[in-house]
């Protein structure tokens, strides 16, 4: 039976996306970082696959099994009283229904799903294949009675030598994900390109997610461009590592 708290948190995450433009979701990786972000005033969080893997001595790109990821995020979700979304990479080879069931079981109420299939040589799903997977996630969440927030990600820009050359293909893919039931869209790799961000945002009707560096990027710029959602990927963990190194330098032998 699905927890009433999980349903309420899922509903709250949806409300927050409508309330904040953009909604900033600090990307955390353990109980300490999650509690620290909540204490800083954030109403929702996301667990990133890269920082989670780094914190556990594993590799990103599905270097952990789905079961290992669930075991790692369960105490994070339990430690805070805000909605938590989880980066589930390309799905760890799971069927959409199993992916959603596992997420809900540990209290997660949102997910990222990308089109680079790490378990199959790093190939990129076709537009229709990725849209079908997202549609499966939407159906599974609806069947479970939990409005899981689905953040549909594409890596087309990131894989391209010239990001602008794949704009039309990326927009076609993002529109297909929106039609399949994605609540927001995540075109990775264009956070520093105003023109590409503007083109993508203008082509879809749901919030567009941008990756931000918590020190080097500017929230007002993203707001002005119309970005609807911001996450940090591994960049907050990288920034904290840089700060830690600076603090420790004068103590090093």
């Amino acid at each position: 039976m699905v927890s009433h708290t999980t349903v309420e948190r899922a509903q709250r995450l949806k409300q927050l996306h409508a309330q904040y433009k953009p909604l900033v979701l600090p990307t955390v990786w353990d109980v300490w970082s999650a509690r620290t972000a909540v204490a800083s005033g954030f109403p929702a969080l996301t667990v990133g696959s890269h920082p989670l893997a780094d914190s556990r001595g594993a590799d990103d790109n599905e270097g952990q099994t789905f079961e290992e990821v669930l075991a790692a995020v369960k105490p994070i979700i339990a430690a805070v009283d805000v909605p938590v979304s989880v980066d589930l990479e390309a799905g760890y080879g799971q069927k959409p229904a199993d992916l959603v069931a596992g997420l809900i079981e540990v209290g997660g109420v949102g997910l990222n799903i990308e089109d680079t299939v790490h378990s199959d040589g790093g190939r990129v799903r076709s537009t229709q294949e990725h849209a079908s997977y997202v549609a499966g996630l939407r159906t599974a969440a609806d069947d479970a009675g939990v409005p899981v927030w689905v953040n549909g990600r594409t890596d087309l820009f990131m894989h391209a030598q010239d990001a602008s050359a794949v704009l039309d293909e990326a927009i076609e893919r993002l529109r297909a994900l929106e039609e399949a039931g994605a609540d927001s869209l995540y075109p990775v790799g264009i956070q520093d390109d105003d023109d590409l961000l503007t083109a993508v945002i203008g082509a879809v009707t749901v919030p567009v997610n941008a990756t931000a560096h918590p020190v080097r990027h500017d929230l007002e710029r993203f707001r002005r461009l119309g970005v609807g959602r911001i996450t940090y990927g591994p960049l907050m963990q990288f920034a904290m590592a840089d700060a830690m190194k600076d603090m420790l330098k004068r103590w090093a032998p």
Side-chain angles (χ1 to χ4, degrees), residues 144-181:
V146 181
V148 172
W149 187 276
V150 177
N151 192 36
R153 167 174 157 169
T154 182
D155 294 342
L156 288 180
F157 289 116
M158 183 178 69
H159 290 311
Q161 289 186 333
D162 177 6
S164 62
V166 298
L167 175 61
D168 291 344
E169 181 183 359
I171 286 176
E172 178 187 5
R173 177 161 303 197
L174 293 168
R175 284 174 170 166
L177 297 181
E178 179 180 358
E179 186 176 346

Side-chain angles (χ1 to χ4, degrees), residues 87-102:
D87 180 358
L88 295 179
E89 304 201 63
Y92 305 98
Q94 302 290 312
K95 295 178 180 178
D98 294 332
L99 200 73
V100 168

Side-chain angles (χ1 to χ4, degrees), residues 106-129:
V106 298
V109 295
L111 62 89
N112 280 6
I113 192 72
E114 64 194 57
D115 51 8
T116 301
V117 187
H118 307 288
S119 61
D120 192 9
R123 72 175 182 87
V124 178
R125 289 182 178 126
S126 69
T127 293
Q128 185 54 54
E129 182 186 9

Side-chain angles (χ1 to χ4, degrees), residues 2-252:
V2 176
S3 163
H4 182 64
T5 300
T6 301
V7 175
E8 286 186 335
R9 288 188 180 185
Q11 293 170 338
R12 178 61 178 152
L13 185 59
K14 183 176 182 178
Q15 293 167 354
L16 289 169
H17 278 90
Q19 180 179 351
Y20 292 94
K21 299 183 184 299
L23 174 64
V24 179
L25 298 171
T27 306
V28 301
W29 55 90
D30 60 10
V31 168
W32 171 81
S33 58
R35 285 177 170 167
T36 301
V38 172
S40 299
F42 288 92
L45 308 172
T46 184
V47 177
S49 66
H50 191 149
L52 180 70
D54 273 0
S55 74
R56 291 166 54 80
D59 292 327
D60 190 27
N61 301 332
E62 300 191 355
Q64 302 180 87
T65 66
F66 183 45
E67 292 72 22
E68 288 170 337
V69 169
L70 291 181
V73 302
K74 184 175 182 178
I76 300 173
I77 294 169
V80 295
D81 60 358
V82 301
V84 179
S85 181
V86 181
D87 180 358
L88 295 179
E89 304 201 63
Y92 305 98
Q94 302 290 312
K95 295 178 180 178
D98 294 332
L99 200 73
V100 168
L103 176 71
I104 292 173
E105 185 176 356
V106 298
V109 295
L111 62 89
N112 280 6
I113 192 72
E114 64 194 57
D115 51 8
T116 301
V117 187
H118 307 288
S119 61
D120 192 9
R123 72 175 182 87
V124 178
R125 289 182 178 126
S126 69
T127 293
Q128 185 54 54
E129 182 186 9
H130 198 37
S132 294
Y133 198 91
V134 166
L137 295 172
R138 179 82 281 142
T139 297
D142 291 346
D143 289 347
V146 181
V148 172
W149 187 276
V150 177
N151 192 36
R153 167 174 157 169
T154 182
D155 294 342
L156 288 180
F157 289 116
M158 183 178 69
H159 290 311
Q161 289 186 333
D162 177 6
S164 62
V166 298
L167 175 61
D168 291 344
E169 181 183 359
I171 286 176
E172 178 187 5
R173 177 161 303 197
L174 293 168
R175 284 174 170 166
L177 297 181
E178 179 180 358
E179 186 176 346
D183 299 288
S184 58
L185 302 167
Y186 192 6
V188 173
I190 61 171
Q191 62 267 17
D192 293 315
D193 191 313
D194 288 13
D195 291 339
L196 289 179
L197 266 177
T198 300
V200 169
I201 291 166
V204 298
T205 63
V206 296
V208 171
N209 193 129
T211 308
H213 189 289
V215 178
R216 299 171 187 162
H217 281 130
D218 176 44
L219 176 59
E220 288 307 313
R221 168 181 165 264
F222 286 120
R223 181 176 287 123
R224 185 175 65 252
L225 291 172
V227 169
R229 168 182 161 123
I230 291 173
T231 52
Y232 297 136
L235 300 183
M236 184 166 76
Q237 191 182 60
F238 290 171
M240 292 179 68
D242 289 341
M244 182 176 177
K245 290 173 187 175
D246 288 341
M247 285 189 292
L248 291 176
K249 278 179 182 177
R250 67 190 183 94
W251 298 91

